Amino acid sequence: MHAHDQTPAVPDVGNGHDATTTERGSFAVARCICGWAGPARRSRDRARLDAAGHMAAPPGGRGA
């Protein structure tokens, strides 16, 4: 595994979420320990934004 294969997206803010981005080929996917996964993106920045949005969403909201 390369260092860029899994990078922290945003720090855990204590709400039960810990999102990271994982690269698969030319796509990046945001995933969380709660089971949530964002859509595959060609842009690492977009995947990181997906993760940040998920972590900022209130529990039980759209992003959870």
Side-chain angles (χ1 to χ4, degrees):
M1 184 180 291
H2 299 285
H4 68 272
D5 285 341
Q6 189 158 350
T7 57
V10 289
D12 183 10
V13 293
N15 62 359
H17 297 287
D18 186 16
T20 59
T21 57
T22 304
E23 293 185 18
R24 299 247 169 123
S26 60
F27 290 92
V29 178
R31 297 187 186 277
C32 183
I33 60 171
C34 74
W36 172 87
R41 305 280 192 181
R42 289 198 181 268
S43 166
R44 290 183 194 119
D45 288 337
R46 291 287 307 261
R48 288 183 190 115
L49 287 173
D50 291 341
H54 169 70
M55 292 188 52
R62 258 178 64 125

